[in-house]
Amino acid sequence: MSTAVWQQRWDAVMARNYGTPPLVLVSGSGCVVRDVEGRDYLDLLAGIAVNVLGHAHPAVVAAVSEQVARIAHTSNLYVNERAVELAERLVGILGVPDTRVFLCNDGTTANEAAIKTVLRAQPGRRRFVAAEHSFHGRSLGALALTGKEAARAPFGPYGIEVTHIPYGDADALAGAVDETVAAVVLEPTLGEAGVVPPPDGYLKAARAACDNAGALLVLDEIQSGIGRTGAWFAHQREGIVADMVTLAKGLGGGLPIGACLATGRAAEALQKGDHGSTFGGNPVACAAALAVLDTIEKDNLLDHVTALGDTWAAQLAKPGVGVRGRGLWLALVVDDGLAPAIEKAARDAGFLVNATGPDAVRLAPPLVLTAAEATAFADALPSILDAAADAVSVGGVKTDVAAGGSRP
Ligand SMILES: *Cc1c(COP(=O)(O)O)cnc(C)c1O
């Protein structure tokens, strides 16, 4: 069946929240995905920073297959071995003793767990501080934190009070954090807003502001974590310790899983009966996550991400293109309005990338991207830029521009 037929069937039955996707993906191997027409694409988005080991990685396939054949689900009424192993492993890579782990199913549920943990740890305080243009998820608590007015406005009012401050401005942050604030919630780099890193020292300043006011610091590493920037967690580069860290996206290597890690007094805040999830810590998802963490370590992928990220960023800086970000998490910064046309021209040329807005194209490939694959895109970029500029000048992508923006 052709792409067009699948698109018609999608349109007829799926909720309208995503619009109509441009491709039907049916299989993948390494960093290459194949569509229903048999056409291959180099996947430089990895399902929005998810498929960190690429597609059909043998370690993930083996771990998931073995676990599903043994026991696929237990609920949290019983111990499952993989959940305990994964929690131990996460505490190890975070490197903060006395950390406790709540396992859940995706990013938004990791942030919901963080919000409830904060409310338990900070009796009498209900106010949160978060950043403008941040993204923390779509369920109501996580959406209250999200700094995107268009996403938030239709669904308020919310049960928690959130003050949004400009991202990267340490003085604005310090000014907003007083004794009424329960927690500050930040991405170490804005992801959905287009891979926007803060100035050096920002997270340190956030840590100090929280300490001064008795507020907790929650870092949303859902997109930035699990090796994406060349460190296990992006915030480790600044040498700070967060009270809580949330994870999802890359953790399961393509299987749905999230985690909320709490340290110190936050670790002791949730009490029996306070929270739960039927599927949270599902053995199959945990087996996949363990395979991901083991492979990143065994194959030295953190060093690979750091080195390849540096060379790739240099290769991608072309006339008319700025590059920001770190590791294998970059944005091409282009003329306003051009990004959606670049996404489409790249797809036509066999590369999957993502316009997060009118002027930024996100690259978040599998961490196993090879130097040859990275170079292939850099080499193709000038002609992709030309095609995009032509398309915009003839008005061919006007509707794409209007619909532009990311959509997890
Ligand atoms: C994607 C994302 C989320 C939400 O994750 P879902 O799995 O889509 O619920 C939250 N925070 C950040 C920083 C994200 O990138």
Side-chain angles (χ1 to χ4, degrees):
M1 220 172 309
S2 71
T3 302
V5 173
W6 280 112
Q7 286 173 323
Q8 272 166 21
R9 289 176 62 180
W10 169 286
D11 281 340
V13 72
M14 301 296 275
R16 295 194 194 277
N17 57 309
Y18 295 120
T20 312
L23 296 180
V24 182
L25 298 184
V26 295
S27 64
S29 176
C31 298
V32 175
V33 290
R34 179 163 295 176
D35 78 0
V36 72
E37 319 269 352
R39 186 151 188 242
D40 287 343
Y41 300 83
L42 184 62
D43 183 3
L44 300 177
L45 186 59
I48 317 185
V50 165
N51 301 291
V52 286
L53 302 186
H55 299 271
H57 190 284
V60 174
V61 172
V64 165
S65 306
E66 275 166 34
Q67 189 61 48
V68 79
R70 194 182 300 270
I71 189 165
H73 177 75
T74 61
S75 87
N76 288 295
L77 298 174
Y78 309 98
V79 172
N80 90 70
E81 300 156 296
R82 299 298 89 75
V84 177
E85 289 165 355
L86 177 61
E88 289 170 347
R89 202 78 170 74
L90 289 172
V91 174
I93 61 177
L94 185 65
V96 181
D98 301 322
T99 297
R100 291 187 182 276
V101 180
F102 176 78
L103 293 172
C104 50
N105 307 302
D106 57 12
T108 210
T109 55
N111 283 335
E112 295 295 330
I115 291 167
K116 285 180 72 174
T117 303
V118 166
L119 294 175
R120 267 299 198 213
Q122 300 280 59
R125 301 190 187 202
R126 289 190 71 80
R127 199 153 75 82
F128 288 74
V129 170
E132 291 169 7
H133 306 293
S134 63
F135 185 80
H136 298 294
R138 300 291 199 164
S139 55
L140 291 178
L143 185 57
L145 295 171
T146 290
K148 223 172 145 183
E149 183 60 21
R152 205 174 59 238
F155 302 104
Y158 298 98
I160 54 171
E161 191 196 328
V162 183
T163 303
H164 289 97
I165 40 118
Y167 186 74
D169 180 340
D171 293 337
L173 178 64
V177 183
D178 61 21
E179 278 72 25
T180 68
V181 172
V184 173
V185 183
L186 292 173
E187 295 167 81
T189 279
L190 296 177
E192 293 311 298
V195 195
V196 184
D200 285 346
Y202 182 62
L203 296 181
K204 259 197 187 118
R207 179 71 273 177
C210 287
D211 289 344
N212 289 338
L216 296 172
L217 178 61
V218 180
L219 294 181
D220 179 340
E221 291 254 16
I222 287 166
Q223 191 160 160
S224 57
I226 315 298
R228 180 67 38 206
T229 66
W232 280 116
F233 305 112
H235 75 273
Q236 290 173 326
R237 204 175 295 279
E238 282 210 17
I240 59 154
V241 174
D243 296 292
M244 261 175 272
V245 175
T246 54
L247 302 173
K249 289 204 167 86
L251 177 58
L255 274 86
I257 185 167
C260 176
L261 279 52
T263 70
R265 79 190 157 90
E268 304 306 324
L270 275 190
Q271 299 304 311
K272 186 176 175 187
D274 275 351
H275 200 41
S277 164
T278 300
F279 286 114
N282 171 272
V284 177
C286 288
L290 284 163
V292 165
L293 300 181
D294 287 349
T295 304
I296 289 175
E297 193 168 273
K298 184 166 66 62
D299 293 354
N300 242 326
L301 288 178
L302 299 181
D303 291 344
H304 170 72
V305 167
T306 301
L308 183 56
D310 285 350
T311 40
W312 204 26
Q315 287 177 326
L316 291 168
K318 311 275 186 199
V321 181
V323 180
R324 68 184 173 219
R326 191 190 285 279
L328 290 181
W329 198 31
L330 303 173
L332 309 178
V333 184
V334 297
D335 286 349
D336 202 36
L338 202 55
I342 292 172
E343 177 184 314
K344 182 176 184 308
R347 189 164 64 238
D348 292 344
F351 301 93
L352 300 188
V353 301
N354 162 246
T356 58
D359 67 351
V361 177
R362 170 171 47 183
L363 305 174
L367 307 185
V368 296
L369 188 76
T370 65
E373 288 167 333
T375 301
F377 178 66
D379 288 348
L381 187 55
S383 65
I384 291 169
L385 293 170
D386 286 347
D390 287 351
V392 167
S393 71
V394 300
V397 293
K398 280 285 167 340
T399 53
D400 281 357
V401 171
S406 84
R407 16 160 287 193

